[in-house]
Amino acid sequence: MKKRNLLFILLPLVVGVVSGCDNQPFIDYVEQTKLANEYEGYDFLEDGIGEVTLFNNVDGDTAHFTSVVSEDRIKARFIGVDTPESTGQIQPWGKAAAKFTAEKLDTAKVIVLSSESESITHALADSTGTRFLSYIWVAYVDNPSLNDFKMINLWLVQESYSGAKGISASRYTQAFYDADMQAQELGIRIWSDDPDPDFYYGASTVTSLKEVNENPDDWLDAKVYLEGIVAKTIGTDAYINLDIEDEDTGLTQRYGLFIFSGYKSYAPLLTIGNLIGLTGIITEFNGNLQMTSVSYSPYYPSEDDITLISSGNAIDPLVITAAEGNDDKYINVVVTVNNLHGTGGYKEDDSNALTIYCMDDLEGLINLRISDNVHVYDRAGSGFDRILDPLYFQVENETFNVTGALLKYESLSGNISYQVSLCKNADLVFNS
Amino acid sequence: MASKKNFLALPFTFALLLAGCDGDGRTQVVFWHTMGQTNQEILNGMIADFTEEHPDVVINHASQGGYDDIRKKINSAIPVGNTPTMAFCYPDHVADYIESGAIENMTPYISDAEIGFTEEEGSHQQGEVVKSGVDDFVAGYWGEGLDYQVQGLYSVPFSKSTEALFYNVDFFEQYELEVPTTWAEMLTVSRAIKAIAPTKIPLGYDSDSNLFITLCEQLGIPYTSKESANHYLFNNQEAKDLISQLKVFYDEGLFVTKGASPNNSYTSTQFTDGTVLMTIGSTGGTSYNFSPNFEVGVAIPPSIDAEEPAVISQGPSITFFKRASTAQKRAAWEFYKFISNSENSARYSIMTGYEPVRISSYETPEYQTHLNAAGADVNLYTKTANITINMRDSYFYSPVFVGSATARDEVGGIISNVLLGIKTVEQAFNDALTECIFGSEV
């Protein structure tokens, strides 16, 4: 709060100095922009506006809420902004933006979501169909009037945590663009060359897959260099694995790590069997370790780029039983589990991802995870209809073998399970 | 997000920037664009190479969001004099900026004694003649920058693209279907797909506007004209008949557009989801058509006559603003020449899926390697490049005037409104025309 007050005192002075003869004062567009519609008794998903409570913060431009009226869970993507990443990838000012949003939401007395439409109508989902595009209004007094609400989306732009983006056809267009132009002229945070104090710009520490997996707390959020062999790819991402001998015991253990490319296509990461060196940041995603912020350019290389050490080193998946898969030591390692039979499972509410509960012929238990991006087709019909029902895997006397990365999953209630995550449909083979 | 190297380094340098210099006397070029993070990484690489050759110049670049965002931000910046030195643009945008008197005519820069084009930046052999400078650019792309309401060169090509047909190879092979080259073949194949897999949608078209404009171009149906007294020609019976026919095909379940899709979702997304089996979309968005679940093929989009395809030329160009100082504009031109030179244009194309803007780029060793990729090196980009290289002579672009952007938006709206049954064909055309005439007068 102190920091913000200081900013507001300084900003008019700064602008005064910069613009010289103009003496243009800082304009508080957040203060000028008011919530126009009544919200009490309305439900956001049904009516396009409604009071909510915070369920959890995600990052600078996404949060999850619960409707006060219907108690529905709402994944809200903030309209008109795109803050730097702070979850999958870590970018400068990403954590600062996430902290700003969290602070505004955590301390609010009342939170209201509104959609773009001015009339009472359903909220609109984004192109993923699962996140609802929302203006987020917060008030810091009990029983607030409409004038007491401030819009976080616009606040993020005004405070230089995001540019105004995708807002050209909004009723708040001008306020967003004006706040954006003012922020760019002021040149702070994302609009400056100033280093983000929460972002590490230094050199990487050389380590290994063994060290990172055995002492994860020592490496979380650290920028590291390590080596591994591309064992499996999924989209533009990959799992790297490596057999490493313990110097003390002489025993060899296979270690793995998921490499998140940030939706970018990096050639060395996409060929199975490549032994590569990677520089990136170790983070956690859904309870499993991953490396983010990797880079590669064949024509404009930088010192942190992925390096191809050698190719043709393909390693066979570890063949394990279901029971053996219930062990942290195989996390992010590519494994094959044979002779599985479905015993149940579920499809996620807001995606086509499936979790299949499985038992192998030794009666060990493990789950099969089929993400939304991997399509398993019904062998009947045209051969191109996706399986979206766990019952498909519960045919009597029919088993299947699966190859994928072993992951750990902790439910909201704290239950831990282990799952083989399918990377491509050809890795699921039915034993007919 | 914004790039690390960003707009206006510090507030206290702003006054210096107005003079076109940063604190240490270097010339500051401010470049606004709409690039995502991936393309910005490539741009940063080019900037590093450029500033090594030109240590007296600083390039500060920033993504300003989408195409509508950048247009509106620039329209806001023009009256208060906060325009960048150079910016991504569509011709429709430039028509507006020219009207405001904000755009520099770049014609004199082409043959400037100091900073004009040189043969080293790119040349190719045509018979006995070496073609360089303007003659080394793809004619259809360069011509766009000359085709404004006033004479001169007001934009130059950079991230150019066209449309391609992406299809599910596994499905086509399993059912021995031929990839359609004409709309008549498309109808036959789509009905065959519907018979095989009734729950699938045979074709998706990502841009409603492009569908309308491309069909008009191929069928010779009037769309717009540069004649100021008669800009909006699309409200004619042939166009109405065409849209009525499309509605019949849509109701038959043969195709869908982005505008007629739930949540306005891209048909490339529906294609990778497996719901749609063919999709026509921008080659600039090639990566969005990649699927880990089936092999993706690329083909020239269908036309009325397969021998005479007409494919839209699109993708942002770059325009330069008058208000910048002479030193800034000259530095910006040098920077443009650098990022569009033979080598850099080829590299940008290989890494993004956009088209090279120079003919000589196609002949560079790197681009030839890309085109001749084999085995594990074949990917969706290399497939697309091998298709679009044959489309260079088939590009068309629409007339540009103040209001042409509105016309483009409105004809796209006609398609979605009619397909979804929100408006009748007559209503949709009347509303679109009204918006073009009265909307663009405001």
Side-chain angles (χ1 to χ4, degrees):
Chain A
M1 208 58 199
K2 196 175 174 185
K3 198 173 171 185
R4 188 180 146 64
N5 287 339
L6 182 66
L7 182 67
F8 270 77
I9 293 164
L10 284 177
L11 285 179
L13 295 174
V14 169
V15 176
V17 169
V18 169
S19 57
C21 52
D22 287 338
N23 267 337
Q24 212 167 0
F26 176 81
I27 298 171
D28 189 345
Y29 294 101
V30 176
E31 192 58 43
Q32 290 179 359
T33 305
K34 302 297 181 189
L35 178 58
N37 300 86
E38 289 296 337
Y39 63 88
E40 286 182 79
Y42 290 110
D43 176 66
F44 173 70
L45 293 178
E46 283 298 312
D47 307 317
I49 192 166
E51 186 179 343
V52 295
T53 55
L54 178 66
F55 179 74
N56 68 309
N57 292 297
V58 177
D59 59 18
D61 54 29
T62 308
H64 297 172
F65 300 95
T66 306
S67 168
V68 166
V69 171
S70 65
E71 296 187 355
D72 284 338
R73 186 69 39 79
I74 302 159
K75 294 180 180 177
R77 173 65 171 82
F78 302 3
I79 301 174
V81 291
D82 185 14
T83 57
E85 299 301 325
S86 63
T87 52
Q89 286 176 282
I90 310 289
Q91 296 175 322
W93 302 106
K95 287 191 173 177
K99 195 173 156 191
F100 177 86
T101 295
E103 200 173 74
K104 297 299 170 210
L105 290 172
D106 288 341
T107 55
K109 297 264 189 187
V110 182
I111 305 172
V112 169
L113 304 189
S114 73
S115 65
E116 186 61 73
S117 174
E118 284 186 80
S119 55
I120 301 297
T121 183
H122 289 277
L124 289 175
D126 69 358
S127 59
T128 69
T130 60
R131 298 185 306 174
F132 287 87
L133 296 165
S134 320
Y135 294 107
I136 320 296
W137 302 86
V138 283
Y140 296 97
V141 294
D142 291 317
N143 304 313
S145 70
L146 294 183
N147 279 345
D148 291 322
F149 285 92
K150 294 173 190 292
M151 190 209 291
I152 292 183
N153 316 49
L154 186 57
W155 221 340
L156 285 161
V157 174
Q158 181 164 291
E159 295 287 349
S160 297
Y161 290 106
S162 171
K165 184 177 177 185
I167 196 74
S168 63
S170 160
R171 56 185 142 153
Y172 305 110
T173 295
Q174 203 54 50
F176 270 82
Y177 288 149
D178 288 345
D180 179 291
M181 283 298 112
Q182 178 172 265
Q184 291 199 39
E185 284 174 25
L186 288 169
I188 56 171
R189 296 195 183 96
I190 66 162
W191 301 118
S192 75
D193 273 349
D194 297 342
D196 171 6
D198 294 328
F199 187 83
Y200 177 68
Y201 295 95
S204 56
T205 304
V206 178
T207 183
S208 68
L209 284 175
K210 179 176 188 291
E211 177 60 27
V212 166
N213 276 285
E214 291 186 349
N215 300 293
D217 292 343
D218 294 347
W219 298 100
L220 272 178
D221 294 332
K223 183 175 173 182
V224 304
Y225 171 86
L226 49 75
E227 295 172 357
I229 294 170
V230 179
K232 189 62 79 179
T233 62
I234 178 162
T236 56
D237 305 323
Y239 289 92
I240 59 163
N241 285 187
L242 199 63
D243 293 330
I244 301 175
E245 188 180 297
D246 188 292
E247 287 179 3
D248 296 331
T249 65
L251 296 174
T252 297
Q253 161 82 39
R254 183 167 295 181
Y255 297 91
L257 191 64
F258 179 65
I259 312 298
F260 179 61
S261 74
Y263 311 106
K264 285 167 270 187
S265 186
Y266 294 144
L269 197 58
L270 298 176
T271 302
I272 290 173
N274 278 355
L275 173 61
I276 53 178
L278 299 118
T279 300
I281 298 172
I282 301 296
T283 61
E284 208 175 57
F285 184 70
N286 284 342
N288 298 290
L289 289 178
Q290 63 174 8
M291 178 183 271
T292 68
S293 303
V294 295
S295 64
Y296 175 75
S297 172
Y299 307 124
Y300 310 104
S302 73
E303 62 181 29
D304 286 343
D305 277 3
I306 299 170
T307 52
L308 175 63
I309 299 166
S310 64
S311 54
N313 308 292
I315 46 179
D316 292 331
L318 284 184
V319 180
I320 60 171
T321 65
E324 286 172 335
N326 288 263
D327 192 330
D328 281 2
K329 73 177 181 181
Y330 292 122
I331 298 298
N332 284 320
V333 169
V334 177
V335 298
T336 296
V337 187
N338 292 324
N339 302 317
L340 292 167
H341 179 78
T343 60
Y346 62 92
K347 176 187 160 301
E348 280 185 2
D349 288 341
D350 55 5
S351 81
N352 288 320
L354 291 172
T355 297
I356 314 296
Y357 306 141
C358 303
M359 179 187 286
D360 68 3
D361 50 356
L362 301 172
E363 299 193 349
L365 302 177
I366 199 160
N367 293 344
L368 164 61
R369 169 72 177 176
I370 304 173
S371 74
D372 203 0
N373 296 326
V374 180
H375 303 174
V376 174
Y377 298 122
D378 190 341
R379 288 161 289 167
S382 72
F384 290 87
D385 294 322
R386 281 182 76 173
I387 303 299
L388 300 173
D389 188 343
L391 282 172
Y392 186 84
F393 298 87
Q394 297 177 50
V395 176
E396 201 173 340
N397 297 324
E398 183 178 76
T399 61
F400 49 89
N401 306 338
V402 64
T403 298
L406 191 87
L407 300 176
K408 186 161 74 171
Y409 175 71
E410 184 174 352
S411 69
L412 285 175
S413 56
N415 288 332
I416 290 177
S417 57
Y418 292 82
Q419 54 191 24
V420 180
S421 179
L422 194 67
C423 298
K424 59 177 185 177
N425 50 21
D427 289 339
L428 175 68
V429 180
F430 285 89
N431 303 311
S432 48
Chain B
M1 69 160 286
S3 65
K4 191 177 164 195
K5 261 281 179 200
N6 239 314
F7 181 56
L8 302 188
L10 284 168
F12 302 101
T13 61
F14 189 50
L16 290 167
L17 293 184
L18 293 178
C21 300
D22 73 355
D24 57 10
R26 292 181 297 170
T27 302
Q28 185 101 236
V29 171
V30 178
F31 178 24
W32 286 4
H33 53 73
T34 57
M35 290 185 196
Q37 201 195 335
T38 307
N39 294 0
Q40 283 188 57
E41 280 181 14
I42 303 167
L43 181 67
N44 283 329
M46 290 187 195
I47 289 172
D49 288 354
F50 176 78
T51 47
E52 208 166 286
E53 282 182 25
H54 299 270
D56 53 333
V57 178
V58 178
I59 308 292
N60 284 318
H61 72 95
S63 176
Q64 300 293 344
Y67 295 126
D68 285 339
D69 291 316
I70 197 168
R71 175 170 57 156
K72 293 203 173 173
K73 287 185 188 182
I74 288 173
N75 278 331
S76 296
I78 287 172
V80 292
N82 280 350
T83 45
T85 324
M86 59 196 284
F88 264 20
C89 62
Y90 263 94
D92 315 86
H93 306 176
V94 178
D96 287 346
Y97 308 155
I98 291 174
E99 194 82 350
S100 306
I103 299 300
E104 179 83 353
N105 176 3
M106 302 307 286
T107 308
Y109 293 71
I110 294 170
S111 49
D112 183 279
E114 277 181 35
I115 59 168
F117 280 124
T118 65
E119 208 173 298
E120 290 72 44
E121 288 150 5
S123 65
H124 67 280
Q125 194 87 25
Q126 194 177 74
E128 298 292 302
V129 185
V130 174
K131 299 278 188 180
S132 64
V134 170
D135 294 335
D136 188 40
F137 281 81
V138 175
Y141 296 150
W142 191 265
E144 191 181 88
L146 299 163
D147 198 30
Y148 293 101
Q149 63 268 44
V150 288
Q151 207 171 10
L153 177 67
Y154 291 97
S155 65
V156 286
F158 182 62
S159 291
K160 304 310 288 184
S161 63
T162 183
E163 289 184 320
L165 172 71
F166 300 91
Y167 63 96
N168 184 322
V169 173
D170 292 1
F171 190 94
F172 272 66
E173 284 185 355
Q174 181 158 334
Y175 293 101
E176 297 178 343
L177 298 169
E178 293 283 327
V179 179
T181 60
T182 66
W183 288 110
E185 290 173 6
M186 175 60 81
L187 186 60
T188 306
V189 169
S190 296
R191 285 186 170 140
I193 290 172
K194 207 69 191 167
I196 296 163
T199 59
K200 303 287 183 189
I201 301 171
L203 174 67
Y205 210 115
D206 249 344
S207 166
D208 296 63
S209 299
N210 282 1
L211 174 58
F212 187 105
I213 295 165
T214 302
L215 284 174
C216 283
E217 178 74 18
Q218 292 182 356
L219 289 162
I221 298 173
Y223 162 53
T224 54
S225 142
K226 279 176 78 173
E227 277 180 47
S228 55
N230 203 14
H231 281 319
Y232 308 107
L233 307 177
F234 60 80
N235 190 32
N236 60 69
Q237 193 54 48
E238 280 179 294
K240 290 175 187 173
D241 292 345
L242 172 67
I243 300 304
S244 299
Q245 186 60 61
L246 288 181
K247 169 72 170 158
V248 172
F249 294 148
Y250 173 79
D251 289 343
E252 205 178 326
L254 299 180
F255 85 106
V256 69
T257 64
K258 176 175 182 284
S261 297
N263 299 322
N264 205 27
S265 71
Y266 284 99
T267 62
S268 54
T269 306
Q270 299 174 63
F271 174 68
T272 55
D273 272 354
T275 317
V276 162
L277 293 166
M278 295 176 278
T279 181
I280 295 173
S282 170
T283 53
T286 291
S287 62
Y288 297 117
N289 296 284
F290 170 79
S291 169
N293 299 297
F294 53 86
E295 189 186 343
V296 179
V298 189
I300 296 175
S303 49
I304 300 299
D305 179 352
E307 300 301 313
E308 290 185 32
V311 288
I312 201 160
S313 166
Q314 57 185 16
S317 297
I318 290 175
T319 194
F320 302 82
F321 290 86
K322 257 186 195 166
R323 199 176 185 284
S325 70
T326 301
Q328 282 177 300
K329 284 182 282 199
R330 290 176 76 81
W333 174 255
E334 287 271 31
F335 180 59
Y336 168 69
K337 286 195 307 168
F338 185 82
I339 60 177
S340 66
N341 72 24
S342 187
E343 187 179 62
N344 280 324
S345 184
R347 290 173 168 184
Y348 189 75
S349 171
I350 292 166
M351 295 170 79
T352 64
Y354 282 104
E355 294 302 300
V357 294
R358 280 179 175 269
I359 295 165
S360 57
S361 297
Y362 289 94
E363 296 168 2
T364 60
E366 287 162 350
Y367 204 81
Q368 284 298 309
T369 303
H370 183 62
L371 283 173
N372 296 313
D377 292 331
V378 173
N379 58 40
L380 204 49
Y381 289 129
T382 62
K383 289 180 189 176
T384 304
N386 275 290
I387 292 299
T388 54
I389 195 170
N390 298 314
M391 293 160 65
R392 271 185 290 166
D393 296 330
S394 306
Y395 294 147
F396 75 89
Y397 50 86
S398 305
V400 177
F401 51 89
V402 175
S404 55
T406 308
R408 182 183 157 74
D409 291 345
E410 289 302 317
V411 296
I414 288 174
I415 291 192
S416 54
N417 278 312
V418 170
L419 296 187
L420 291 171
I422 295 168
K423 294 179 182 178
T424 65
V425 172
E426 279 299 330
Q427 274 174 336
F429 274 83
N430 285 340
D431 290 354
L433 186 63
T434 304
E435 186 59 30
C436 284
I437 293 171
F438 297 105
S440 60
E441 278 183 358
V442 173

